[in-house]
Tab-separated table of all heavy atoms in Angstrom:
chain	number	residue	atom	x	y	z
A	15	PRO	N	15.532	11.470	-5.036
A	15	PRO	CA	15.009	10.441	-5.940
A	15	PRO	C	16.125	9.694	-6.672
A	15	PRO	O	17.136	10.277	-7.055
A	15	PRO	CB	14.152	11.246	-6.930
A	15	PRO	CG	13.806	12.506	-6.190
A	15	PRO	CD	14.997	12.807	-5.348
A	16	TYR	N	15.921	8.402	-6.843
A	16	TYR	CA	16.862	7.568	-7.598
A	16	TYR	C	16.067	6.554	-8.404
A	16	TYR	O	14.909	6.272	-8.117
A	16	TYR	CB	17.837	6.856	-6.654
A	16	TYR	CG	17.226	5.740	-5.849
A	16	TYR	CD1	17.360	4.409	-6.238
A	16	TYR	CD2	16.497	6.017	-4.689
A	16	TYR	CE1	16.793	3.386	-5.504
A	16	TYR	CE2	15.926	4.994	-3.949
A	16	TYR	CZ	16.079	3.678	-4.358
A	16	TYR	OH	15.497	2.670	-3.632
A	17	ARG	N	16.701	5.992	-9.415
A	17	ARG	CA	16.038	5.049	-10.302
A	17	ARG	C	16.502	3.624	-10.007
A	17	ARG	O	17.654	3.410	-9.638
A	17	ARG	CB	16.334	5.380	-11.771
A	17	ARG	CG	15.895	6.766	-12.187
A	17	ARG	CD	16.131	6.968	-13.674
A	17	ARG	NE	15.789	8.343	-14.086
A	17	ARG	CZ	15.446	8.689	-15.311
A	17	ARG	NH1	15.370	7.772	-16.263
A	17	ARG	NH2	15.163	9.937	-15.607
A	18	TRP	N	15.597	2.687	-10.191
A	18	TRP	CA	15.960	1.277	-10.058
A	18	TRP	C	15.000	0.445	-10.908
A	18	TRP	O	13.908	0.885	-11.252
A	18	TRP	CB	15.931	0.828	-8.596
A	18	TRP	CG	14.587	0.948	-7.925
A	18	TRP	CD1	13.956	2.095	-7.570
A	18	TRP	CD2	13.729	-0.115	-7.527
A	18	TRP	NE1	12.746	1.818	-6.976
A	18	TRP	CE2	12.575	0.471	-6.927
A	18	TRP	CE3	13.803	-1.503	-7.599
A	18	TRP	CZ2	11.531	-0.295	-6.420
A	18	TRP	CZ3	12.755	-2.265	-7.084
A	18	TRP	CH2	11.640	-1.657	-6.499
A	19	ILE	N	15.424	-0.759	-11.260
A	19	ILE	CA	14.639	-1.647	-12.130
A	19	ILE	C	14.023	-2.754	-11.288
A	19	ILE	O	14.695	-3.351	-10.438
A	19	ILE	CB	15.520	-2.242	-13.238
A	19	ILE	CG1	16.058	-1.110	-14.130
A	19	ILE	CG2	14.746	-3.244	-14.090
A	19	ILE	CD1	17.044	-1.585	-15.176
A	20	ALA	N	12.739	-3.018	-11.503
A	20	ALA	CA	12.033	-4.025	-10.724
A	20	ALA	C	11.159	-4.870	-11.625
A	20	ALA	O	10.744	-4.448	-12.709
A	20	ALA	CB	11.179	-3.365	-9.639
A	21	SER	N	10.866	-6.079	-11.157
A	21	SER	CA	9.973	-6.984	-11.883
A	21	SER	C	9.351	-7.930	-10.875
A	21	SER	O	10.052	-8.477	-10.015
A	21	SER	CB	10.750	-7.774	-12.944
A	21	SER	OG	9.905	-8.714	-13.577
A	22	GLY	N	8.044	-8.115	-10.952
A	22	GLY	CA	7.393	-9.014	-10.010
A	22	GLY	C	5.884	-8.902	-10.080
A	22	GLY	O	5.321	-8.438	-11.083
A	23	ALA	N	5.236	-9.320	-9.002
A	23	ALA	CA	3.779	-9.268	-8.929
A	23	ALA	C	3.365	-9.141	-7.479
A	23	ALA	O	4.057	-9.613	-6.575
A	23	ALA	CB	3.150	-10.513	-9.552
A	24	VAL	N	2.249	-8.491	-7.254
A	24	VAL	CA	1.686	-8.353	-5.915
A	24	VAL	C	0.200	-8.664	-5.976
A	24	VAL	O	-0.416	-8.600	-7.041
A	24	VAL	CB	1.887	-6.926	-5.335
A	24	VAL	CG1	3.362	-6.606	-5.159
A	24	VAL	CG2	1.201	-5.886	-6.217
A	25	VAL	N	-0.371	-9.010	-4.830
A	25	VAL	CA	-1.824	-9.122	-4.724
A	25	VAL	C	-2.335	-7.842	-4.081
A	25	VAL	O	-1.744	-7.323	-3.146
A	25	VAL	CB	-2.244	-10.355	-3.897
A	25	VAL	CG1	-2.012	-11.627	-4.669
A	25	VAL	CG2	-1.521	-10.404	-2.567
A	26	GLU	N	-3.415	-7.350	-4.599
A	26	GLU	CA	-3.885	-6.019	-4.253
A	26	GLU	C	-5.343	-6.070	-3.807
A	26	GLU	O	-6.162	-6.763	-4.418
A	26	GLU	CB	-3.751	-5.119	-5.488
A	26	GLU	CG	-3.507	-3.667	-5.197
A	26	GLU	CD	-3.072	-2.936	-6.465
A	26	GLU	OE1	-3.577	-3.266	-7.555
A	26	GLU	OE2	-2.234	-2.038	-6.362
A	27	LEU	N	-5.647	-5.349	-2.755
A	27	LEU	CA	-7.013	-5.253	-2.239
A	27	LEU	C	-7.433	-3.791	-2.255
A	27	LEU	O	-6.756	-2.927	-1.675
A	27	LEU	CB	-7.079	-5.806	-0.816
A	27	LEU	CG	-8.423	-5.646	-0.089
A	27	LEU	CD1	-9.489	-6.492	-0.774
A	27	LEU	CD2	-8.296	-6.037	1.381
A	28	VAL	N	-8.542	-3.494	-2.916
A	28	VAL	CA	-9.057	-2.122	-2.963
A	28	VAL	C	-9.638	-1.764	-1.604
A	28	VAL	O	-10.426	-2.527	-1.026
A	28	VAL	CB	-10.126	-1.984	-4.065
A	28	VAL	CG1	-10.740	-0.589	-4.043
A	28	VAL	CG2	-9.523	-2.277	-5.434
A	29	LEU	N	-9.246	-0.613	-1.092
A	29	LEU	CA	-9.748	-0.159	0.205
A	29	LEU	C	-11.112	0.501	0.033
A	29	LEU	O	-11.332	1.281	-0.897
A	29	LEU	CB	-8.763	0.832	0.832
A	29	LEU	CG	-7.367	0.276	1.115
A	29	LEU	CD1	-6.450	1.367	1.663
A	29	LEU	CD2	-7.441	-0.890	2.099
A	30	THR	N	-12.019	0.190	0.936
A	30	THR	CA	-13.383	0.716	0.847
A	30	THR	C	-13.633	1.824	1.862
A	30	THR	O	-14.716	2.402	1.884
A	30	THR	CB	-14.404	-0.412	1.057
A	30	THR	OG1	-14.152	-1.036	2.330
A	30	THR	CG2	-14.285	-1.458	-0.048
A	31	THR	N	-12.638	2.107	2.690
A	31	THR	CA	-12.754	3.199	3.668
A	31	THR	C	-11.609	4.178	3.457
A	31	THR	O	-10.598	3.847	2.841
A	31	THR	CB	-12.703	2.664	5.109
A	31	THR	OG1	-11.471	1.951	5.317
A	31	THR	CG2	-13.882	1.726	5.374
A	32	THR	N	-11.776	5.388	3.957
A	32	THR	CA	-10.743	6.413	3.801
A	32	THR	C	-9.594	6.157	4.773
A	32	THR	O	-9.796	6.093	5.989
A	32	THR	CB	-11.326	7.809	4.054
A	32	THR	OG1	-12.379	8.057	3.116
A	32	THR	CG2	-10.252	8.880	3.912
A	33	VAL	N	-8.399	6.010	4.227
A	33	VAL	CA	-7.190	5.780	5.023
A	33	VAL	C	-6.108	6.711	4.496
A	33	VAL	O	-5.875	6.788	3.288
A	33	VAL	CB	-6.704	4.318	4.928
A	33	VAL	CG1	-5.540	4.094	5.884
A	33	VAL	CG2	-7.827	3.349	5.216
A	34	THR	N	-5.452	7.421	5.395
A	34	THR	CA	-4.384	8.351	5.036
A	34	THR	C	-3.106	7.974	5.788
A	34	THR	O	-3.142	7.126	6.693
A	34	THR	CB	-4.778	9.792	5.408
A	34	THR	OG1	-4.603	9.981	6.830
A	34	THR	CG2	-6.225	10.099	5.026
A	35	PRO	N	-1.972	8.585	5.463
A	35	PRO	CA	-0.747	8.322	6.211
A	35	PRO	C	-0.834	8.702	7.683
A	35	PRO	O	0.010	8.278	8.483
A	35	PRO	CB	0.299	9.192	5.485
A	35	PRO	CG	-0.227	9.321	4.096
A	35	PRO	CD	-1.715	9.406	4.253
A	36	LEU	N	-1.847	9.472	8.054
A	36	LEU	CA	-2.029	9.863	9.452
A	36	LEU	C	-2.736	8.783	10.270
A	36	LEU	O	-2.768	8.855	11.494
A	36	LEU	CB	-2.821	11.170	9.532
A	36	LEU	CG	-2.149	12.406	8.926
A	36	LEU	CD1	-3.125	13.578	8.908
A	36	LEU	CD2	-0.893	12.765	9.718
A	37	ASP	N	-3.325	7.798	9.594
A	37	ASP	CA	-4.111	6.776	10.277
A	37	ASP	C	-3.261	5.550	10.601
A	37	ASP	O	-2.294	5.231	9.889
A	37	ASP	CB	-5.300	6.343	9.409
A	37	ASP	CG	-6.240	7.494	9.109
A	37	ASP	OD1	-6.538	8.255	10.044
A	37	ASP	OD2	-6.654	7.645	7.940
A	38	ALA	N	-3.642	4.836	11.669
A	38	ALA	CA	-3.006	3.554	11.981
A	38	ALA	C	-3.361	2.568	10.879
A	38	ALA	O	-4.535	2.418	10.530
A	38	ALA	CB	-3.468	3.048	13.339
A	39	PRO	N	-2.377	1.869	10.303
A	39	PRO	CA	-2.642	1.063	9.109
A	39	PRO	C	-3.159	-0.342	9.368
A	39	PRO	O	-3.666	-0.990	8.449
A	39	PRO	CB	-1.275	0.995	8.437
A	39	PRO	CG	-0.317	1.030	9.585
A	39	PRO	CD	-0.946	1.930	10.621
A	40	ASP	N	-3.053	-0.845	10.582
A	40	ASP	CA	-3.292	-2.264	10.827
A	40	ASP	C	-4.689	-2.720	10.432
A	40	ASP	O	-4.867	-3.789	9.838
A	40	ASP	CB	-3.030	-2.589	12.298
A	40	ASP	CG	-1.584	-2.358	12.676
A	40	ASP	OD1	-0.777	-3.287	12.549
A	40	ASP	OD2	-1.257	-1.225	13.075
A	41	GLN	N	-5.698	-1.937	10.759
A	41	GLN	CA	-7.066	-2.342	10.435
A	41	GLN	C	-7.275	-2.397	8.925
A	41	GLN	O	-8.030	-3.235	8.421
A	41	GLN	CB	-8.057	-1.372	11.072
A	41	GLN	CG	-9.518	-1.793	10.887
A	41	GLN	CD	-10.484	-0.903	11.663
A	41	GLN	OE1	-10.052	-0.045	12.449
A	41	GLN	NE2	-11.762	-1.102	11.466
A	42	SER	N	-6.565	-1.559	8.189
A	42	SER	CA	-6.722	-1.515	6.733
A	42	SER	C	-6.100	-2.724	6.058
A	42	SER	O	-6.627	-3.235	5.061
A	42	SER	CB	-6.085	-0.238	6.176
A	42	SER	OG	-6.644	0.900	6.798
A	43	VAL	N	-4.979	-3.188	6.578
A	43	VAL	CA	-4.290	-4.317	5.943
A	43	VAL	C	-4.791	-5.653	6.465
A	43	VAL	O	-4.491	-6.698	5.879
A	43	VAL	CB	-2.765	-4.222	6.145
A	43	VAL	CG1	-2.237	-2.905	5.594
A	43	VAL	CG2	-2.389	-4.371	7.611
A	44	ALA	N	-5.565	-5.645	7.547
A	44	ALA	CA	-6.002	-6.895	8.180
A	44	ALA	C	-6.770	-7.828	7.240
A	44	ALA	O	-6.521	-9.030	7.238
A	44	ALA	CB	-6.830	-6.592	9.429
A	45	PRO	N	-7.747	-7.327	6.431
A	45	PRO	CA	-8.485	-8.260	5.556
A	45	PRO	C	-7.580	-9.024	4.590
A	45	PRO	O	-7.779	-10.215	4.371
A	45	PRO	CB	-9.453	-7.334	4.813
A	45	PRO	CG	-9.650	-6.170	5.726
A	45	PRO	CD	-8.319	-5.965	6.368
A	46	LEU	N	-6.585	-8.348	4.008
A	46	LEU	CA	-5.678	-9.030	3.091
A	46	LEU	C	-4.794	-10.021	3.852
A	46	LEU	O	-4.563	-11.141	3.395
A	46	LEU	CB	-4.818	-8.014	2.338
A	46	LEU	CG	-3.894	-8.580	1.253
A	46	LEU	CD1	-4.676	-9.394	0.238
A	46	LEU	CD2	-3.125	-7.454	0.561
């Protein structure tokens, strides 16, 4: 672990289905 300083903004979409690191991510990010 290391520390760093950041500042900015992102657009965020709440996921309505269960997605884990084991799942393929493309379908989850497609709507955004």
Side-chain angles (χ1 to χ4, degrees):
Y16 72 99
R17 301 184 184 205
W18 61 289
I19 298 175
S21 176
V24 297
V25 287
E26 210 167 36
L27 174 66
V28 176
L29 299 177
T30 57
T31 58
T32 300
V33 186
T34 78
L36 296 172
D37 299 316
D40 296 270
Q41 185 173 353
S42 304
V43 303
L46 185 55

